[in-house]
Structure formats: structure tokens, C-alpha cells
């Protein structure tokens, strides 16, 4: 766990943040923090941001050579403490907007609804089905705004950059997939898995909604990178034995192997992003409300 480095304790920031540390953030799951300590780079600061929606999770300020980025351990900084159902998505996305973040890449470890994907496989999902039930899913409760199109669901510019990075690293990955977001924290029943497949799902996880939709509400680019962690209940029971995930140790080893690639993917993406042609409209998602003078340019006034 990188014990040799001095520990940086999170500080709480309630006011505005004036520095421009980075415009890119990576949101990740429980293993990400461990990786951050070990390989992703040096942690120069850790901040808990107070927002109108409560406190964010600790946000790590990361440096690797010349590259700077934020790292957001979704489920808590120390260990897997906050399950996906109870993550304060609004506080996290609001805090990142306050820090000046414009691009968000979200890591997620879903189960597969099909035996065509193997444990450890990387997937760039291209759409979402939101089956969550108990989460605050919008910033806009009192303004009559927020009726936003969701096509494409994820940022096309981040998508082509991620595709380029994965291809150049020669990493096996699926170029599309529909990610179903379940409420959790329990996993799905066999009947639910059949139903999710029938409705067009390829992956089932618990984290991308409302995260992706909240990012759009604050005009940020957002794209997920999924790594398959299991087959969902009942999937692939008649599959060839060689395709099955295998015993638990083998499954964990395959997941770890994929996660070990993460720092290089992050660094390569950070290298590429400044040169990417930004052709998306993510940063104008609220434009029509601005044109109608329902809101101004300062997102603080949108809630
Ligand atoms: Zn975009």
C-alpha cells in the first residue's frame, strides 16, 4: 500500500477552488486507490469538497511526470466502504466541476450478461439502461430545467481517444456494449439477468448512473471504461469449459492483470487528450437554457 510514502490526510474545502490543477479526472472503484498509491503517480494533495449536496469523497491530486489529473475513489479512499447505492454522486460530480474538471473517465467493473465477454475483458460501453431506484439523479430539482437529450450517451471525443489508446496498446477490447445499472448492493437474480439480456443489456453494474447523467447536466465530457469482473447469474452455463471464468483465484488474477494496465491507459490518454479534436457538444449541453435566459453561465446558479 505504498507505506514508504508520507501519508497525506484529506483536507476539507468549503469555499471555491482557484487553482487550475487539471481538467481531467478519473473516477474509479475500490482497487483504484491501491493502484494510485503504488503506480499511478504521486499524490500531491487530497481534498474533500463541501458542496450543496454534501461532502464529496476524498479527491486525489495526482502527478506523474508532467501529467496532472484528479483521481476519485468512488467507494471511499481507504477501502471499499461505500457501496454503489450509497455513493454521493451529486457531491462528487459537483466537486469536480468546482475544481475545473471538463473531462471525466469512469472505471467500472461490471458483470457480463453474455458469455461472449470474458473476465478481464475491457469494454467501451456505448449506452446505458438506468434501472436504479433510490438515487438522487439530477441537480435540477426546482428550476424546470434538465430535459437533456442522451444521444450519444457518452462523449464521442473521449470515446475515440480511448479507442485509439486501447488499439495502440494492442489491448483486446469490445468497442460497444449496453451497460445496465442496477440498484444493488445485492447482485441480480437469475430471472433479472434473463430480463436484462432480453431488454438489450450486455453488462450489468451499479455505478454509471446517475454519474453519467449528472456530468452532462454540468456540461462535462464523460466516458466509461469497463472491465468484466464476472459472469452474471446463470450466464454461460452451457458455455465451453475453456471460456468459463474458472476458479476464484483465476478470476481475480485475470481482473488484476487488466487493472495493472490501467496506469498506462491513463497516462497514454492524458498524453493524447491535448491533441484530440474536440468535436463533441458535451460542454454545450445546457446551451438552449442559456439561450432562453433561463440560466446564466455560472453553474452555481443552476440549482
Ligand atoms: Zn465531450
Amino acid at each position: 500500500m505504498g507505506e514508504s510514502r508520507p501519508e497525506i490526510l484529506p483536507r476539507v474545502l468549503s469555499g471555491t477552488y482557484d487553482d487550475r490543477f487539471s481538467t481531467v479526472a478519473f473516477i474509479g472503484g475500490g482497487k483504484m486507490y491501491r493502484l494510485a498509491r503504488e503506480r499511478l503517480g504521486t499524490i500531491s494533495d487530497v481534498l474533500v469538497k463541501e458542496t450543496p449536496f454534501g461532502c464529496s469523497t476524498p479527491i486525489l491530486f495526482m502527478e506523474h511526470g508532467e501529467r496532472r489529473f484528479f483521481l476519485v475513489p468512488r467507494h471511499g479512499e481507504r477501502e471499499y466502504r461505500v457501496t454503489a447505492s450509497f455513493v454521493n454522486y451529486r457531491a462528487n460530480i459537483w466537486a469536480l466541476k468546482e475544481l475545473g474538471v471538463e473531462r471525466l473517465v469512469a472505471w467500472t467493473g461490471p458483470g457480463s450478461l453474455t458469455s461472449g465477454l470474458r473476465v478481464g475483458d475491457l469494454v467501451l460501453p456505448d449506452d446505458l439502461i438506468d434501472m436504479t431506484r433510490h438515487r438522487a439523479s439530477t441537480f435540477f430539482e426546482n428550476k424546470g430545467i434538465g430535459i437533456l437529450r442522451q444521444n450519444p450517451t457518452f462523449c464521442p471525443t473521449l470515446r475515440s481517444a480511448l479507442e485509439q489508446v486501447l488499439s495502440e496498446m494492442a489491448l483486446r477490447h469490445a468497442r460497444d456494449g449496453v451497460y445496465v445499472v442496477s440498484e444493488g448492493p445485492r447482485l441480480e437474480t437469475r430471472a433479472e439477468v434473463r430480463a436484462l439480456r432480453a431488454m438489450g443489456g450486455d453488462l450489468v453494474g451499479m455505478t454509471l448512473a446517475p454519474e453519467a447523467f449528472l456530468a452532462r447536466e454540468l456540461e462535462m465530457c464523460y466516458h466509461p471504461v469497463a472491465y468484466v469482473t464476472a459472469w452474471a447469474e446463470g450466464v454461460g452455463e452451457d458455455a465451453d469449459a475453456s471460456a468459463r471464468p474458472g476458479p476464484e483465484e483465476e478470476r481475480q488474477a485475470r481482473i488484476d492483470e487488466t487493472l495493472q494496465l490501467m496506469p498506462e491507459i491513463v497516462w497514454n490518454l492524458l498524453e493524447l487528450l491535448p491533441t484530440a479534436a474536440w468535436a463533441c457538444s458535451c460542454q454545450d449541453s445546457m446551451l438552449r437554457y442559456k439561450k432562453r435566459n433561463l440560466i446564466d453561465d455560472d453553474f452555481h446558479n443552476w440549482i
Side-chain angles (χ1 to χ4, degrees):
M1 294 284 288
E3 255 74 22
S4 56
R5 286 186 192 150
E7 185 177 15
I8 299 176
L9 293 171
R11 62 191 174 94
V12 178
L13 181 70
S14 52
T16 51
Y17 183 80
D18 296 326
D19 194 7
R20 190 79 163 176
F21 180 79
S22 177
T23 57
V24 185
F26 294 86
I27 305 179
K31 288 197 173 183
M32 209 166 169
Y33 183 69
R34 197 190 73 203
L35 272 166
R37 294 294 262 187
E38 289 174 356
R39 290 189 50 212
L40 257 177
T42 311
I43 301 167
S44 60
D45 202 357
V46 182
L47 197 73
V48 171
K49 184 83 186 68
E50 284 183 352
T51 79
F53 307 95
C55 281
S56 72
T57 190
I59 296 169
L60 282 62
F61 291 53
M62 303 294 304
E63 296 183 39
H64 179 81
E66 296 291 300
R67 307 177 186 97
R68 291 168 141 205
F69 55 98
F70 294 105
L71 184 61
V72 187
R74 220 190 250 117
H75 303 285
E77 188 199 4
R78 292 283 136 205
E79 57 207 34
Y80 197 99
R81 204 174 278 172
V82 187
T83 59
S85 314
F86 301 100
V87 169
N88 191 340
Y89 296 97
R90 291 197 297 185
N92 291 347
I93 298 294
W94 188 271
L96 292 170
K97 181 76 177 177
E98 288 247 356
L99 293 172
V101 169
E102 295 169 359
R103 334 272 183 213
L104 276 165
V105 175
W107 288 76
T108 176
S112 177
L113 294 167
T114 119
S115 56
L117 291 168
R118 296 184 308 200
V119 167
D121 275 0
L122 286 165
V123 185
L124 294 179
D126 66 333
D127 215 337
L128 278 183
I129 298 176
D130 182 4
M131 298 290 285
T132 63
R133 286 173 289 185
H134 307 299
R135 305 182 189 188
S137 57
T138 178
F139 290 111
F140 311 134
E141 292 180 0
N142 304 307
K143 289 262 179 169
I145 58 173
I147 303 164
L148 304 181
R149 286 188 66 179
Q150 302 294 333
N151 182 25
T153 305
F154 305 122
C155 170
T157 316
L158 278 179
R159 173 173 203 80
S160 49
L162 282 163
E163 268 179 2
Q164 187 179 332
V165 166
L166 297 183
S167 301
E168 283 175 5
M169 290 174 70
L171 296 179
R172 176 191 152 96
H173 67 280
R175 298 178 56 149
D176 50 31
V178 174
Y179 183 111
V180 183
V181 192
S182 65
E183 180 57 51
R186 68 167 177 85
L187 295 168
E188 304 71 37
T189 67
R190 290 166 64 92
E192 284 169 340
V193 168
R194 287 197 301 272
L196 298 179
R197 275 198 69 178
M199 68 166 66
D202 301 299
L203 300 163
V204 59
M206 298 175 195
T207 52
L208 298 184
E211 202 171 73
F213 305 124
L214 292 170
R216 177 149 301 167
E217 286 189 348
L218 295 188
E219 302 192 316
M220 299 152 95
C221 296
Y222 180 100
H223 205 290
V225 179
Y227 54 96
V228 176
T229 52
W231 279 352
E233 209 63 60
V235 168
E237 283 178 343
D238 51 358
D240 192 271
S242 64
R244 287 169 186 272
E248 182 57 21
E249 310 83 64
E250 194 183 318
R251 193 176 73 85
Q252 282 302 334
R254 280 203 209 172
I255 296 168
D256 285 351
E257 206 175 299
T258 301
L259 282 172
Q260 289 302 324
L261 300 165
M262 194 190 78
E264 213 176 323
I265 297 173
V266 165
W267 300 329
N268 289 342
L269 188 69
L270 287 165
E271 202 70 43
L272 185 64
L273 285 184
T275 66
W278 291 92
C280 54
S281 56
C282 313
Q283 322 244 327
D284 279 326
S285 60
M286 298 294 285
L287 187 62
R288 71 187 173 101
Y289 292 118
K290 291 177 191 170
K291 280 184 173 168
R292 286 158 56 191
N293 286 324
L294 288 173
I295 54 171
D296 59 17
D297 284 333
D298 184 356
F299 69 95
H300 294 94
N301 302 326
W302 299 356
I303 54 171

